[in-house]
Amino acid sequence: MAERSTAAVDVADNSGDEPLTAKADKATADGPAETQNTADRSAPDTERDRRSDGSGTTAPELHSGHKLARRYRLEECVTRLDGFSSWRAVDEKLRRAVGVHLLPASHPRARSVLAAARSSALLGDPRFVQVLDAVEENDLVYVVHEWLPDATELTALLAAGPMEAHDAYQLVSQVSQAMAAAHREGLAHLRLTPGAVLRTSTGQYRIRGLAVNAALRGIRADRPQRTDTEAIGALLYAALTRRWPYETDAYGLSGLPKGVGLIAPDQVRAGVHRGLSELAMRALVNDGATASRQEPPCTTPDELAAAVAEMPRIRPPEPTFTAPPEYQRTTYQQGTYGRTQQGLGAPTAPVVTPPPPLQSRTGKALKWTVAALLIAALGLGSWQVADRLLDQRKGSETTPTETTTGNDDKAIKPVKALKLAEATEFMPSGYGIKPELAQNTIDGDADTAWITAQYQNFAKFGNRPDRKQGSGIIVDLGSVQRVSVIDVDMYRAGQKTEVLAADKDASNPTALADFSQRLTPLETAGSTLKSTLDKPVRTRYVLIRITELPTDGSSNLFRGGISEIRLKG
């Protein structure tokens, strides 16, 4: 397996054993064993972890400090069941934390685990926790994963309470798009639980255990796309209500009341976003339309991602600012300065009133002298100012000013930096690359960027049919503004780029045809893209569009992006 330099992986999912659906005893896990009948769900985790898969194969008896391939040092066993074990380990070669799944080479699922791990590694999608190595060695099979130290399980996020509408929207949008991409490559998850979804410190969601979790448990499904779609619907339902959409409790969440059936999230909790509530029902009720609206069910991640894209965008809540405390005037009288402490019996010193200043004959003479000097200084200063103004007026009659054009009534307006209200990813096909990183292009920090995925063989986004029009960033100025200067820091040189603007009357443009004004030609840009327009344009939306990507460390790998966008007008 080729080594990857991405940040560290995946640990076992210890967050629940209930099936994903009422009939989903087929689901897999990357953690504690999932029981096969309802009565067995009450068994403690420690008891379940001691069980084997019934084939007589037990997890390899390894210990902390054991080293695999003279490189991966095992640190802590997080799961041991079904003949395999999962560990937190250290890659001593690259000095980073990793996760490792171990099972004997004689295990009946060893070959399927190796095949699943290698298929997942070939996907190379950064929205999934990456498989770094998959090896059979010394009668052992082990799979090495990334470890994400800054990520938080969705299970922990839901323990704090239901999500805001914007956070739930980002969850279902990113997860559905990621799973749609995986299914296009023939990969399924089959146990997409709250423990399998992580949120990084940047707000990006990562999915762990793609294909591998199912292989470790020997899980298969007749309709894998439908299984994963319903799982995403359950995640959205839990995010909106903090309830599991089935009668059984699972993953630290309470199930629905017995006998009432599946009810919409907005009937479970007040204040739930109506559009997201209906979307969750469309993903969960795969046998027909929902009761609230006659919309078709979503049976594949592609359909669910398309339904999310059709929804009006849910913006993040406005930040709340606390009012500063009222100003408290501080004077000597508010404290004890100059006062007698109570109870000491000392008399209060009399306050002596000073005489009015400068009331003597000498004082009066001094006041008149100072007044005369001030009057003389003011007179001299006024004469000098008037003389300078007259000189300037004479000069203006013979020399034209630099602030006027041929028409005296049109003054050249000064150029100023424009405030950029929002940045979104240009995705005419409806599928984004990394929409959650779009705001990095207008955050004022050159070290953050919107970066594309890595594409193979073709600079035009891998010649993917959904990327024929390229990608890029759409900048929303908040209102119609006058744009005259463009200054863009590119993620790297060599990207074929152009800048377009929508008509001033456009509203929420998303297609290429919506951007009718060309501001720069389509050409290969360097590390920066700068242009001063001969004639300023009036617009609200500006598109920095990328059609071809530069190489990324190899002649057949391509990647690009945008670091920072600045507009003036």
Side-chain angles (χ1 to χ4, degrees):
M1 295 293 294
E3 295 176 5
R4 301 169 187 259
S5 60
T6 51
V9 209
D10 175 41
V11 296
D13 175 10
N14 294 305
S15 57
D17 299 282
E18 287 73 12
L20 188 58
T21 67
K23 57 188 176 220
D25 55 340
K26 299 178 181 179
T28 187
D30 190 13
E34 178 180 317
T35 58
Q36 300 300 319
N37 55 73
T38 305
D40 200 27
R41 291 187 192 126
S42 60
D45 288 346
T46 54
E47 179 182 344
R48 290 198 302 268
D49 288 353
R50 290 195 294 267
R51 298 173 185 169
S52 69
D53 60 357
S55 64
T57 303
T58 59
E61 292 296 334
L62 300 177
H63 54 81
S64 298
H66 185 90
K67 194 175 296 184
L68 301 171
R70 298 182 180 179
R71 175 175 180 177
Y72 303 112
R73 187 180 74 250
L74 303 182
E75 292 286 323
E76 178 187 6
C77 182
V78 294
T79 302
R80 189 186 299 275
L81 70 159
D82 281 353
F84 72 89
S85 59
S86 298
W87 295 75
R88 177 176 60 83
V90 174
D91 182 351
E92 293 186 337
K93 184 176 181 180
L94 296 180
R95 297 184 179 180
R96 63 181 179 183
V98 294
V100 179
H101 293 312
L102 279 166
L103 67 165
S106 59
H107 196 287
R109 296 194 289 270
R111 294 290 174 270
S112 60
V113 169
L114 277 176
R118 289 166 180 170
S119 299
S120 178
L122 290 175
L123 179 63
D125 193 319
R127 293 172 292 192
F128 294 92
V129 171
Q130 299 293 298
V131 172
L132 306 176
D133 215 346
V135 179
E136 179 179 358
E137 180 182 65
N138 297 331
D139 297 328
L140 282 178
V141 168
Y142 58 88
V143 177
V144 183
H145 314 249
E146 282 184 291
W147 186 282
L148 303 178
D150 67 334
T152 306
E153 279 189 10
L154 183 59
T155 308
L157 297 176
L158 294 180
M163 287 186 171
E164 296 288 344
H166 176 262
D167 293 333
Y169 172 81
Q170 290 295 324
L171 169 68
V172 68
S173 175
Q174 295 182 36
V175 173
S176 61
Q177 290 179 23
M179 289 309 305
H183 278 282
R184 284 194 292 268
E185 300 297 328
L187 295 172
H189 198 291
L190 303 185
R191 195 172 190 271
L192 201 54
T193 66
V197 178
L198 309 174
R199 186 171 72 180
T200 65
S201 57
T202 61
Q204 180 184 6
Y205 287 93
R206 303 282 298 273
I207 302 172
R208 65 185 181 188
L210 178 67
V212 176
N213 280 2
L216 283 169
R217 295 303 188 92
I219 303 302
R220 289 178 174 80
D222 295 333
R223 301 179 67 179
Q225 293 203 56
R226 176 167 172 170
T227 299
D228 283 343
T229 304
E230 188 170 354
I232 300 172
L235 295 178
L236 176 58
Y237 194 105
L240 295 173
T241 64
R242 199 171 174 264
R243 298 287 293 267
W244 195 236
Y246 306 102
E247 292 184 353
T248 55
D249 299 343
Y251 313 108
L253 304 173
S254 300
L256 297 178
K258 297 184 183 298
V260 301
L262 182 61
I263 54 179
D266 56 359
Q267 296 177 11
V268 175
R269 188 176 73 90
V272 171
H273 188 278
R274 180 69 180 275
L276 292 175
S277 174
E278 294 175 353
L279 192 66
M281 296 298 288
R282 291 178 63 185
L284 285 168
V285 185
N286 280 320
D287 293 326
T290 63
S292 56
R293 287 181 58 186
Q294 295 303 311
E295 295 286 353
C298 298
T299 59
T300 67
D302 260 319
E303 293 177 359
L304 183 57
V308 175
E310 291 173 359
M311 288 181 57
R313 184 177 304 155
I314 301 176
R315 299 184 182 275
E318 294 291 334
T320 57
F321 297 97
T322 57
E326 295 184 1
Y327 174 73
Q328 299 291 332
R329 180 179 298 276
T330 303
T331 64
Y332 290 125
Q333 286 72 22
Q334 286 181 319
T336 59
Y337 181 84
R339 295 182 182 178
T340 302
Q341 296 292 332
Q342 294 182 0
L344 297 182
T348 303
V351 179
V352 179
T353 303
L358 300 181
Q359 293 300 313
S360 64
R361 181 178 300 178
T362 304
K364 292 181 179 180
L366 181 60
K367 285 196 295 183
W368 283 109
T369 303
V370 171
L373 290 174
L374 288 175
I375 293 172
L378 288 173
L380 179 61
S382 300
W383 175 79
Q384 290 178 341
V385 170
D387 186 58
R388 182 170 297 177
L389 290 175
L390 289 173
D391 290 342
Q392 289 180 352
R393 179 174 294 180
K394 290 180 181 179
S396 64
E397 292 175 357
T398 57
T399 305
T401 65
E402 296 180 356
T403 59
T404 59
T405 61
N407 298 325
D408 294 339
D409 59 340
K410 293 183 179 180
I412 298 177
K413 298 180 178 179
V415 175
K416 64 177 181 179
L418 299 178
K419 182 180 180 181
L420 310 184
E422 185 180 14
T424 56
E425 185 177 304
F426 174 60
M427 39 186 175
S429 62
Y431 301 105
I433 300 175
K434 293 184 181 178
E436 69 279 0
L437 301 181
Q439 286 294 120
N440 290 346
T441 61
I442 61 170
D443 62 357
D445 185 358
D447 293 333
T448 61
W450 169 80
I451 307 171
T452 71
Q454 188 182 70
Y455 295 88
Q456 294 184 353
N457 300 329
F458 295 97
K460 294 184 177 181
F461 295 85
N463 274 15
R464 294 177 63 89
D466 55 345
R467 294 280 168 243
K468 289 185 178 180
Q469 296 184 10
S471 187
I473 295 295
I474 299 174
V475 177
D476 182 359
L477 302 178
S479 61
V480 176
Q481 302 284 343
R482 176 176 170 270
V483 178
S484 59
V485 177
I486 300 165
D487 185 3
V488 181
D489 293 341
M490 308 300 291
Y491 173 65
R492 62 176 45 151
Q495 303 181 75
K496 199 165 186 179
T497 312
E498 66 178 346
V499 182
L500 307 172
D503 188 77
K504 65 179 181 179
D505 298 325
S507 175
N508 195 25
T510 56
L512 183 60
D514 296 335
F515 296 88
S516 57
Q517 304 182 77
R518 181 180 297 276
L519 307 188
T520 67
L522 180 60
E523 58 187 6
T524 302
S527 59
T528 60
L529 173 61
K530 297 183 178 182
S531 178
T532 301
L533 306 182
D534 296 334
K535 183 179 179 181
V537 299
R538 290 184 59 79
T539 184
R540 175 177 174 177
Y541 300 95
V542 176
L543 166 63
I544 293 84
R545 175 174 172 250
I546 300 173
T547 61
E548 293 187 22
L549 305 174
T551 56
D552 185 33
S554 176
S555 59
N556 66 333
L557 298 177
F558 301 90
R559 190 194 298 269
I562 298 173
S563 297
E564 200 65 31
I565 301 172
R566 293 174 291 272
L567 301 176
K568 297 180 181 180

